[in-house]
Amino acid sequence: MHQLFHESERITSEEELREMLGYPSPLVVKKSIDHIDSHAMNFIRQSPIIFISTSDVSGACDVSPRGDAAGFVHMIDSKHLVIPERPGNRRMDSILNILSNPHIGIVFVIPQIEETLRVNGKACVTKDISILESMMANGKIPSVGIGVTVEECYIHCAKSFKRSKLWDHESWPDRSTLPKPSEILAAHTGAREEDVRKSLKESYEKRLY
């Protein structure tokens, strides 16, 4: 039987990797800053969706979306921001990871802009009501938030969005061919699809905040 990812075909050193793929340009090397400047602040204020990457103490990784009205991420100053934790499925993968490993990576996305903003730093879970009150939405104050101390901030190039044509609606697939989340969840849990569909509908209509 063919063995996937055979050891002889794996790249195991940066030297070998650089020989194949090269080095970043001076512009790319210089673009990283250690704070949120006025340009990054403007980007964050207009971003309605982000993706946060965390890992637990053993290195097991997770990436999770967070979204709300544009500007939902609260900026305290040029080194600190807070992501409100709205109601979810209570798995709390990201928050539990942060409790054991504070490293976090964030990608900010704005519809129609193909470049993204990346922020890396250290995270904590805060219950500071004076901060959480500033992120009230739909009359609800989040119970906790993810506080981030910024260590790195930079614009990421648009090549992945250009290749995927994400914002080009003419490239979007026919809706009738799209995967059905309720069908997937039913298959993975053994539940009836009709029950899953009703549960999702209720959750989306009544428990967003």
Side-chain angles (χ1 to χ4, degrees):
M1 181 181 293
H2 178 70
Q3 182 180 355
L4 292 176
F5 312 126
H6 194 279
E7 289 188 12
S8 66
E9 298 301 322
R10 297 180 190 177
I11 295 172
T12 57
S13 70
E14 181 177 352
E15 180 181 11
E16 182 182 4
L17 186 65
R18 292 297 183 187
E19 284 182 2
M20 293 184 64
L21 302 182
Y23 290 83
S25 68
L27 178 65
V28 171
V29 172
K30 287 181 174 181
K31 72 178 181 178
S32 175
I33 59 177
D34 65 358
H35 63 286
I36 304 170
D37 69 353
S38 60
H39 301 289
M41 285 184 179
N42 184 41
F43 199 107
I44 291 171
R45 287 192 189 101
Q46 297 192 55
S47 173
I49 185 136
I50 66 176
F51 296 86
I52 62 176
S53 174
T54 59
S55 65
D56 64 19
V57 70
S58 69
C61 297
D62 180 76
V63 176
S64 178
R66 295 290 191 278
D68 210 325
F72 74 99
V73 174
H74 177 58
M75 289 175 287
I76 298 175
D77 55 37
S78 65
K79 290 290 288 186
H80 302 93
L81 54 84
V82 185
I83 304 164
E85 186 69 8
R86 308 295 188 200
N89 57 17
R90 299 190 182 93
R91 280 182 55 116
M92 298 186 291
D93 297 305
S94 300
I95 288 182
L96 290 174
N97 283 346
I98 289 167
L99 293 180
S100 65
N101 178 359
H103 295 278
I104 189 169
I106 311 168
V107 174
F108 291 85
V109 180
I110 298 176
Q112 302 183 73
I113 293 183
E114 293 177 317
E115 287 80 9
T116 55
L117 182 75
R118 292 175 60 172
V119 171
N120 299 316
K122 298 287 198 324
C124 67
V125 182
T126 180
K127 59 178 182 179
D128 187 333
I129 190 63
S130 65
I131 294 175
L132 298 172
E133 282 180 336
S134 66
M135 295 181 290
M136 178 188 293
N138 214 38
K140 302 287 183 65
I141 299 172
S143 298
V144 298
I146 298 173
V148 179
T149 299
V150 176
E151 296 178 338
E152 188 176 31
C153 174
Y154 58 93
I155 284 289
H156 189 94
C157 79
K159 289 180 180 177
S160 60
F161 276 71
K162 288 185 177 298
R163 286 189 287 254
S164 67
K165 298 183 179 180
L166 183 64
W167 303 131
D168 180 5
H169 66 88
E170 293 185 358
S171 74
W172 294 353
D174 188 304
R175 288 191 65 88
S176 65
T177 68
L178 295 177
K180 296 180 179 179
S182 60
E183 186 178 281
I184 296 170
L185 190 54
H188 290 180
T189 63
R192 293 197 318 153
E193 183 184 356
E194 181 181 354
D195 294 336
V196 172
R197 188 166 56 250
K198 289 179 179 178
S199 177
L200 289 174
K201 185 175 186 294
E202 180 188 25
S203 176
Y204 297 155
E205 291 179 349
K206 300 181 180 179
R207 296 194 295 278
L208 279 183
Y209 295 94

